[in-house]
Amino acid sequence: MLPTTSRGRTPSNVRPAPIFAQYLRRIVKWRQMDIEYTFWQMLHLCTSPKVVYQHTRYHKQTKNQWARDDPAFVVIFCLFLIVATSAYCVAYGETCVHAIYTIISVVSLHFLLAGILIATCCWFLTNSYLREETPNSHVVEQRVEWLYAFDVHCNSFFPTFILLYVVQYFVSPVLVAHGFFPVLLSNLLFMVAISYYHYLNFLGYDVLPFLDKLLSSYIQLASSLSSHH
């Protein structure tokens, strides 16, 4: 039996360019997006996120890739961000020009650019330091797909969005007041949102069977990031 991979060659299950190109092409094809499944994922990310990553395993078995091939989650998430940011701008009397600037900043910088940077760092660290070495040349080498790392960020950021953009909006009359309770409530919202983000980020990489010593490495990484902040 001939080996499926060799040193110096790209593994057969890694096809970043075609997958990413197909993903981008489907962004403008609304009818091809699975909207119902996207809303199902968003609901379960807030209630039972492990179920979402169980379906990620099924996706790998049927599509031979961990990442989503449907950009519906990102498109709908961006629409939610636009609506939520617009609500804040209306509530706090922003001018039209400043509102447009704020909406573009939230979608492009807070979500997309930050997600690209975080996904790239996690993609590099997991592939460089956390992958198990293949025992022999007959086993197909597996790597974390960059698009999957971006999916993990999107999944982790959605409950954070619910807490810091939706819930915070409705309790904002309390948060803008002076006193101990508004400060406590605001910090509590941020603490829960950041903790849940890290938890979902861990679940996203924990589902990958070829990553080794993930828990201890992620705890060290999270603690180092927290100490810097």
Side-chain angles (χ1 to χ4, degrees):
M1 180 177 178
L2 294 176
T4 53
T5 59
S6 61
R7 294 185 179 274
R9 296 180 60 185
T10 303
S12 59
N13 65 327
V14 179
R15 299 179 300 271
I19 291 175
F20 194 69
Q22 180 184 9
Y23 185 88
L24 292 177
R25 284 196 299 267
R26 293 188 63 180
I27 289 180
V28 296
K29 298 179 180 180
W30 182 263
R31 294 183 179 180
Q32 294 185 9
M33 298 183 188
D34 194 343
I35 308 300
E36 183 178 353
Y37 181 61
T38 298
F39 283 120
W40 179 89
Q41 285 184 311
M42 290 179 170
L43 174 63
H44 282 78
L45 284 171
C46 299
T47 57
S48 53
K50 289 185 178 180
V51 175
V52 176
Y53 286 111
Q54 287 176 358
H55 280 256
T56 301
R57 290 180 180 271
Y58 305 149
H59 182 78
K60 170 61 177 177
Q61 295 171 1
T62 56
K63 299 293 185 70
N64 195 30
Q65 69 180 61
W66 292 99
R68 297 187 186 100
D69 55 356
D70 185 356
F73 193 99
V74 175
V75 173
I76 294 175
F77 202 166
C78 288
L79 293 177
F80 282 170
L81 284 169
I82 292 173
V83 172
T85 308
S86 300
Y88 273 98
C89 293
V90 172
Y92 291 96
E94 300 289 351
T95 63
C96 183
V97 174
H98 192 271
I100 294 174
Y101 171 78
T102 303
I103 292 171
I104 295 175
S105 298
V106 167
V107 175
S108 60
L109 298 180
H110 296 186
F111 176 52
L112 293 177
L113 182 59
I116 290 172
L117 293 176
I118 293 173
T120 302
C121 290
C122 292
W123 167 79
F124 173 77
L125 291 174
T126 50
N127 283 324
S128 300
Y129 302 106
L130 298 181
R131 281 192 309 120
E132 291 182 346
E133 295 295 333
T134 54
N136 54 66
S137 59
H138 298 277
V139 178
V140 176
E141 183 183 15
Q142 298 189 76
R143 299 178 64 87
V144 179
E145 305 157 6
W146 184 91
L147 198 55
Y148 178 76
F150 185 71
D151 284 345
V152 171
H153 163 75
C154 295
N155 292 343
S156 305
F157 193 72
F158 183 74
T160 304
F161 161 78
I162 296 297
L163 287 171
L164 299 184
Y165 286 77
V166 180
V167 174
Q168 187 172 252
Y169 174 80
F170 289 104
V171 299
S172 58
V174 178
L175 298 179
V176 296
H178 297 284
F180 173 76
F181 180 73
V183 174
L184 177 64
L185 181 58
S186 177
N187 288 325
L188 184 63
L189 280 174
F190 274 89
M191 183 189 71
V192 173
I194 293 173
S195 300
Y196 203 62
Y197 178 90
H198 283 301
Y199 172 66
L200 290 188
N201 217 37
F202 167 75
L203 287 182
Y205 293 101
D206 186 55
V207 76
L208 303 178
F210 53 88
L211 295 184
D212 186 29
K213 298 179 181 179
L214 179 61
L215 179 58
S216 59
S217 301
Y218 189 81
I219 291 175
Q220 292 176 2
L221 177 61
S223 60
S224 63
L225 291 175
S226 301
S227 62
H228 281 87
H229 290 289

